[in-house]
Amino acid sequence: MWYLRNINTEHVYYLVSQPVGHTVGRAGTGLIITGDESISRYHAMLWPINNVLHLIDTGSKYGSYVNDNIAKNVRISKEQATALKPGDKIRFGLYKSIWLVEKVDFRCLTSMLFMDNGLKTILDQIGAELVSTYTEGVTHLIMPPNIMHTKFLECLAGQVQIVSPEFFQTIARDCIVHGKALPLEKDFTPAYTGPYMRYEPKLLHRNPSRSNLFTGKEFIFLSTVQFRHFENVVKIAGGVCLCASDKKILKSRFVEPNVIVIKLNSSSTTHPKSVETLSQYLTSHRRRMVLEVEIEYALIFCSTEKFCNPDYNFLTSLAKSTKQDTVKSGQEDSGGTSNGGNISKRS
């Protein structure tokens, strides 16, 4: 979507999709410029075509000017298209009606979202491209609250901005209608909560570290279903995947430092005896199978210190933390005294 921003007033004019070009003038046009006698009633036309914005001076009395020719007062040719790109400047007339040419691309993926007619109309209006699967170049994931889906994890790993539908509704309702600047995407992060997780919007903001979060790590999945579900997610985050049900893997490989074995989830209908044997083998090497939800949490918190770390024992860590809290509490109750001094218990 192309738009012009007045460098003096910060007013924004959006060149939203319409069958004809956008007219510029003193009255009765798309972009209306008032308080400037050098603006003709029908001054110019703006016509966005693909990746080029065309400016045509429609025979105005005082002309239109572009970039360096603004200071030189050299007007563009009348009735001939001048190609513009983001970052170019335009002056209509002789005075201070100077506008910066800008462009924003929306290539949107939806996740578990019912695309109602209202949202579809808005996306069409701003020229957004809708895609059905994650691909490089996706700019936004439109997501309702509290939905965990493969697309969501792919977009977290792939540095895609995650927003609620209200982001685009605000563009249509406030920005385009009232000439306001685009809203901040981070203000429209959808709510997301999971077990034992306190929600903070910043957790879903783009973080470049996610692109290589799993670099050097090898994920081994025990079922084809899980492998297909997470394969692309792990790859986007820099890791590699193997499926134990499709390829024979040496037993010793399961305990290599960089290897993460994903446990079969509770919905799996079968748990072969070989899986139990493997679990015991890992335990004998003081390692554990990793729950598949840890892939999600590692990406959200952008850390593998605990999640997707087969050497990290949550039970041991919890016990240690509880013991430390108990000791700390005892010290506070004794006033911090442990050498025979007067002890006064706090009330």
Side-chain angles (χ1 to χ4, degrees):
M1 176 175 64
W2 292 89
Y3 59 98
L4 302 185
R5 178 170 56 84
N6 190 297
I7 64 172
N8 294 307
T9 67
E10 294 298 320
H11 180 81
V12 180
Y13 177 75
Y14 295 91
L15 284 76
V16 293
S17 179
Q18 60 182 43
V20 295
H22 295 256
T23 53
V24 181
R26 192 171 63 247
T29 53
L31 174 54
I32 299 174
I33 302 174
T34 59
D36 188 339
E37 296 180 355
S38 68
I39 303 297
S40 299
R41 182 172 182 178
Y42 181 36
H43 195 103
M45 176 174 282
L46 293 159
W47 204 301
I49 302 176
N50 298 325
N51 291 320
V52 180
L53 178 62
H54 299 274
L55 169 64
I56 302 172
D57 188 286
T58 51
S60 67
K61 183 175 181 179
Y62 294 105
S64 304
Y65 308 80
V66 173
N67 293 334
D68 294 341
N69 287 331
I70 293 175
K72 299 174 184 177
N73 278 323
V74 177
R75 60 194 296 169
I76 65 174
S77 300
K78 294 181 180 181
E79 305 296 345
Q80 292 184 15
T82 298
L84 301 173
K85 63 184 183 301
D88 286 344
K89 288 183 180 179
I90 307 170
R91 189 185 76 199
F92 299 108
L94 297 177
Y95 303 117
K96 293 185 178 181
S97 185
I98 302 175
W99 302 74
L100 182 66
V101 177
E102 298 184 313
K103 186 175 185 286
V104 59
D105 293 316
F106 296 113
R107 194 162 188 254
C108 302
L109 176 67
T110 60
S111 176
M112 305 296 288
L113 176 70
F114 174 74
M115 183 64 68
D116 60 38
N117 290 333
L119 182 58
K120 182 65 166 61
T121 299
I122 291 171
L123 295 175
D124 288 342
Q125 182 187 23
I126 64 177
E129 178 187 357
L130 284 175
V131 296
S132 58
T133 58
Y134 173 87
T135 56
E136 192 172 343
V138 170
T139 62
H140 295 79
L141 170 68
I142 310 174
M143 192 181 88
N146 296 323
I147 295 294
M148 198 290 282
H149 191 269
T150 304
K151 294 177 184 178
F152 165 64
L153 298 181
E154 289 172 334
C155 289
L156 269 181
Q159 307 304 301
V160 175
Q161 189 69 54
I162 300 173
V163 295
S164 65
E166 285 73 23
F167 173 72
F168 294 97
Q169 293 163 357
T170 299
I171 291 176
R173 182 181 63 245
D174 295 338
C175 303
I176 293 175
V177 173
H178 301 292
K180 297 180 180 180
L182 291 172
L184 296 176
E185 294 153 321
K186 66 180 183 179
D187 292 338
F188 293 86
T189 304
Y192 184 79
T193 56
Y196 317 111
M197 187 180 100
R198 185 176 64 184
Y199 172 70
E200 295 180 21
K202 66 180 181 181
L203 291 175
L204 303 191
H205 294 171
R206 285 181 290 195
N207 188 330
S209 299
R210 289 194 180 103
S211 297
N212 57 15
L213 183 65
F214 296 150
T215 298
K217 299 184 184 299
E218 183 177 271
F219 287 71
I220 298 180
F221 295 90
L222 304 181
S223 79
T224 304
V225 173
Q226 286 181 305
F227 174 78
R228 291 174 179 171
H229 187 73
F230 290 104
E231 179 186 18
N232 200 42
V233 175
V234 171
K235 285 182 178 179
I236 296 170
V240 296
C241 299
L242 290 175
C243 183
S245 62
D246 295 339
K247 181 179 180 180
K248 186 169 182 175
I249 301 173
L250 291 175
K251 194 174 182 181
S252 59
R253 189 168 184 175
F254 288 97
V255 292
E256 290 182 2
N258 64 321
V259 169
I260 299 164
V261 182
I262 302 299
K263 186 177 182 178
L264 288 173
N265 60 34
S266 57
S267 63
S268 298
T269 56
T270 59
H271 288 77
K273 187 176 180 180
S274 58
V275 173
E276 181 60 31
T277 302
L278 175 60
S279 178
Q280 294 173 356
Y281 177 70
L282 291 173
T283 301
S284 69
H285 285 75
R286 297 188 177 182
R287 292 171 70 83
R288 65 181 178 89
M289 288 188 182
V290 166
L291 299 174
E292 64 176 38
V293 73
E294 292 185 47
I295 298 175
E296 172 192 348
Y297 278 20
L299 286 168
I300 289 175
F301 291 100
C302 201
S303 171
T304 57
E305 179 184 354
K306 299 178 181 178
F307 306 115
C308 293
N309 180 358
D311 295 319
Y312 186 84
N313 190 310
F314 285 93
L315 293 177
T316 301
S317 177
L318 179 62
K320 185 182 296 183
S321 176
T322 302
K323 183 177 180 180
Q324 289 174 344
D325 290 343
T326 301
V327 172
K328 183 178 179 181
S329 177
Q331 290 175 343
E332 290 177 349
D333 288 343
S334 65
T337 304
S338 59
N339 56 0
N342 293 327
I343 300 175
S344 59
K345 197 168 185 177
R346 293 183 182 182
S347 57

